[in-house]
């Protein structure tokens, strides 16, 4: 596994300064609308094992996990400690810049499942990160990566900004393939976007896979 699977230019960013600077101030906002959050809840309820231990990668102040899952433990990893300290679904959190250090600070097979919500577009070493997620979840465990059609453009990687939503589904599929040891890689348009004067809806896309062995 390596980012050598992709051209280096894919991961250039307009703002190449340390991500810590961009995430210094907490942003306690949600990045998708209620409709997309509801759809994400539904996908999590279907894909994540109830009562499990979950890793929320690139976490903030909300994890959008449905209460029905009753997780045993949820650990967040992100850039802003204050955001994660205010997340009622996290039992613990770690601040780590995944673009500087992809090695996750967890034992092998520490989690039943992992999620990465509306953030994958900020990873400059996605295959290395996806390989680490594979290491820290149990065989058969699921990694659910979701995204919509918005981002902080100065921090998103070039390949994300130059491709369509449907191409993002293919790109994230390639991240799983490049990382290796992922099975059942599935790319879904979980909710089509809708515009409208009286209530639009953000699109929601999900790519998920299970640790092969
Ligand atoms: C758009 S927010 C999404 C937060 C949360 N997952 C959600 O669903 O609302 C992007 C998140 O990615 C995290 N992030 C961005 N760059 C990162 C990096 N280099 N390493 C680790 N986390 C990063 C930030 O901490 C931030 O919480």
């Amino acid at each position: 596994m390596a980012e050598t699977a992709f051209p280096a230019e894919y991961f250039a960013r307009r703002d190449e300064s340390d991500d810590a600077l961009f995430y210094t101030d907490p942003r306690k906002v949600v990045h998708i609308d209620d409709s997309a959050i509801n759809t994400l809840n539904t996908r999590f309820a279907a894909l994540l094992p109830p009562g499990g231990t979950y890793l929320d990668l690139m976490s903030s102040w909300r994890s959008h996990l449905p209460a029905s899952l009753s997780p045993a433990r949820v650990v967040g990893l992100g850039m802003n400690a204050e955001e994660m300290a205010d997340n009622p679904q996290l039992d613990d959190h770690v601040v780590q810049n995944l673009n500087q250090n992809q090695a996750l600070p967890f034992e092998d097979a520490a989690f039943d499942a992992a999620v990465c919500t509306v953030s994958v577009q900020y990873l400059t070493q996605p295959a290395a990160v996806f390989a680490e997620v594979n290491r820290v979840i149990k065989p058969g465990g699921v990694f659910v990566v979701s995204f919509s059609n918005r981002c902080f453009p100065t921090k998103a990687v070039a390949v994300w900004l130059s491709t369509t939503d449907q191409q993002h589904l293919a790109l994230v599929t390639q991240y799983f393939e490049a990382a290796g040891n992922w099975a059942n890689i599935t790319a879904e348009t979980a909710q089509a976007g809708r515009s409208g004067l009286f209530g639009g809806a953000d699109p929601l896309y999900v790519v998920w896979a299970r640790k092969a062995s």
Side-chain angles (χ1 to χ4, degrees):
M1 159 283 322
E3 291 350 287
T4 49
F6 305 98
E9 314 85 82
Y10 272 29
F11 303 110
R13 297 177 298 168
R14 287 184 211 157
D15 176 0
E16 294 281 15
S17 65
D18 188 333
D19 291 347
L21 297 172
F22 189 82
Y23 292 101
T24 303
D25 295 325
R27 289 184 181 81
K28 295 184 183 174
V29 295
V30 287
H31 302 275
I32 44 178
D33 65 12
D34 287 349
S35 159
I37 290 172
N38 286 339
T39 299
L40 184 60
N41 272 210
T42 307
R43 297 310 294 133
F44 281 162
L47 291 168
L48 301 177
T53 55
Y54 311 146
L55 171 62
D56 181 9
L57 201 70
M58 308 185 81
S59 180
S60 178
W61 74 313
R62 294 291 181 265
S63 293
H64 312 302
L65 297 166
S68 60
L69 284 173
S70 300
R73 179 172 159 81
V74 186
V75 179
L77 184 149
M79 291 297 292
N80 188 287
E82 190 178 330
E83 289 174 5
M84 292 186 285
D86 202 17
N87 183 329
Q89 295 192 304
L90 296 183
D91 296 287
D92 200 358
H93 63 265
V94 182
V95 173
Q96 181 172 320
N97 184 340
L98 292 170
N99 292 336
Q100 290 180 344
N101 178 12
Q102 294 81 51
L104 297 177
F106 310 112
E107 300 286 316
D108 294 359
F111 299 96
D112 294 301
V115 301
C116 179
T117 305
V118 297
S119 304
V120 68
Q121 62 270 22
Y122 307 118
L123 289 176
T124 62
Q125 305 283 326
V129 171
F130 279 43
E132 271 292 283
V133 174
N134 192 277
R135 180 184 66 76
V136 302
I137 67 174
K138 295 175 182 156
V142 70
F143 181 28
V144 183
V145 179
S146 60
F147 49 89
S148 185
N149 62 353
R150 314 182 197 162
C151 65
F152 301 127
T154 57
K155 280 292 178 188
V157 294
V159 65
W160 196 269
L161 296 177
S162 61
T163 46
T164 64
D165 294 349
Q166 290 302 315
Q167 288 171 319
H168 294 158
L169 285 168
L171 182 69
V172 176
T173 298
Q174 287 175 15
Y175 291 170
F176 275 107
E177 289 168 351
N181 200 36
W182 291 105
N184 305 113
I185 305 171
T186 305
E188 307 171 342
T189 299
Q191 168 170 304
R194 205 173 58 238
S195 56
L197 272 180
F198 304 104
D202 289 338
L204 187 79
Y205 305 95
V206 179
V207 187
W208 60 271
R210 292 192 184 281
K211 179 170 176 168
S213 58

